[in-house]
Amino acid sequence: MHPRLRITPSFIQGGVGKLFSIHYAPDCITSESECFVVASSFAEEMNRCRYMGTMLAQQLTQQNFGFLVVDAYGTGDSDGEFRDSNWEQSCQDLMTAVSYADTLGYKQVSIMGVRLGALQAMQISGAIKNLKRLIFWQPVINGQATLTQFLRIKIAASMQRDEKVETTQEMEKQIENGQYISVSGYEVGPDLFRGIKAAKFESYIDAVSVPVGWFTVISSTDRKTPRGDLMMIEKWRQKGVAVNHQEIVGPPFWLAHERTLVPELVDATVRYVTESV
């Protein structure tokens, strides 16, 4: 751990329960200090991305930036169970995290959206008066894609155990009928499912005018950013939004079962942040 790193864990009050937070503080919080509030990824991806976030926090605090992680209700060390979580409450909890950054003394707040968290950042960004910018790591621009990938994990597990294999459509129908689907220990119910399914970048793009740092991890130089992402970036730029898009070669750390790091992504993010202050 860096000797100058100041870490403060605490519980703050959310809309339906206490939320666990970790604040990585700079040496001194001034009127110019900016705090990056993390909008975390979904289910097990959140855990897989944790240490990458810690690496980023370690570097940003040395540059006098703050870094704040607040677990949404039903996730991490906050109150509630995952099956109790829902999309709208998670977005409200992210707003609670932004308000908490204000009470810590930060006059400028930015949101760092990781994977599905980027969609939550988009949904609330229009309501944040002191928002300086958005940072996205491998953003999901359509919630349906995350749900399909999530349900395919259950299909693969069923095939390995020689169990009856249900299609994604059949499982979606079960959830729509009020049932819960358990995937790798995470129970997804109707409220969370519908909220994620309805979430799309397209719905919120007009409400965002702050600069955006968009980082895409690709497995090799032969691979490219998904076409849908490039189209969204171009559409945003046509509206006058400054989108800095960078491709970083590295493994998909959000999918790996063992800790997998992409330090080049952290370094590129820090460079973007510090050079565009």
Side-chain angles (χ1 to χ4, degrees):
M1 183 180 295
H2 194 280
R4 295 173 58 193
L5 202 61
R6 297 168 55 204
I7 305 175
T8 304
S10 63
F11 283 92
I12 62 176
Q13 186 61 48
V16 291
K18 291 184 178 180
L19 309 177
F20 180 72
S21 70
I22 297 181
H23 175 218
Y24 300 81
D27 286 338
C28 180
I29 300 176
T30 70
S31 60
E32 301 298 319
S33 296
E34 176 184 355
C35 183
F36 288 87
V37 177
V38 177
S40 299
S41 191
F42 175 67
E44 191 58 28
E45 282 192 5
M46 181 182 76
N47 296 324
R48 294 168 182 163
C49 297
R50 286 280 200 194
Y51 196 74
M52 283 287 291
T54 300
M55 290 171 62
L56 181 61
Q58 290 171 342
Q59 291 201 36
L60 287 178
T61 53
Q62 295 175 44
Q63 304 293 331
N64 206 40
F65 295 98
F67 195 87
L68 179 64
V69 183
V70 177
D71 294 340
Y73 181 78
T75 71
D77 291 312
S78 292
D79 283 352
E81 300 297 331
F82 189 82
R83 65 175 285 131
D84 302 323
S85 63
N86 67 72
W87 181 259
E88 292 303 323
Q89 184 58 55
S90 293
C91 289
Q92 291 176 27
D93 291 341
L94 184 56
M95 279 298 298
T96 297
V98 170
S99 299
Y100 182 50
D102 291 340
T103 67
L104 292 172
Y106 296 99
K107 303 303 180 185
Q108 301 180 93
V109 174
S110 295
I111 302 181
M112 180 183 159
V114 182
R115 299 284 291 144
L116 190 68
L119 271 169
Q120 292 187 328
M122 289 290 289
Q123 182 164 330
I124 73 165
S125 59
I128 305 174
K129 296 180 179 179
N130 60 338
L131 182 67
K132 184 171 182 179
R133 55 183 148 193
L134 296 172
I135 304 290
F136 295 146
W137 278 4
Q138 207 74 17
V140 174
I141 65 173
N142 187 327
Q144 178 66 62
T146 290
L147 290 174
T148 300
Q149 176 185 327
F150 190 66
L151 295 178
R152 283 175 177 169
I153 295 173
K154 183 175 178 62
I155 291 174
S158 296
M159 292 176 67
Q160 289 178 346
R161 294 192 293 263
D162 291 328
E163 297 175 349
K164 179 181 180 295
V165 177
E166 297 174 303
T167 66
T168 55
Q169 292 82 1
E170 289 173 334
M171 286 186 281
E172 285 190 28
K173 187 174 181 180
Q174 291 177 35
I175 296 173
E176 291 290 353
N177 290 335
Q179 299 180 42
Y180 284 75
I181 294 291
S182 180
V183 180
S184 300
Y186 293 90
E187 290 189 279
V188 176
D191 291 340
L192 180 60
F193 183 88
R194 294 189 191 107
I196 295 176
K197 186 175 183 177
K200 297 177 176 63
F201 256 57
E202 189 77 30
S203 302
Y204 314 114
I205 192 171
D206 290 334
V208 177
S209 58
V210 297
V212 177
W214 186 311
F215 297 86
T216 303
V217 176
I218 54 178
S219 58
S220 70
T221 54
D222 295 331
R223 304 298 296 270
K224 299 297 180 183
T225 298
R227 184 169 179 270
D229 289 17
L230 293 175
M231 292 175 63
M232 186 63 63
I233 290 169
E234 183 57 30
K235 185 172 183 178
W236 229 343
R237 286 172 173 165
Q238 289 178 0
K239 291 178 177 292
V241 176
V243 182
N244 184 311
H245 176 232
Q246 299 182 41
E247 293 179 335
I248 309 297
V249 176
F253 61 91
W254 60 94
L255 293 177
H257 292 288
E258 296 182 358
R259 179 181 289 180
T260 302
L261 305 176
V262 186
E264 297 84 358
L265 174 60
V266 174
D267 294 341
T269 305
V270 173
R271 280 196 303 271
Y272 167 73
V273 168
T274 54
E275 292 173 1
S276 58
V277 172

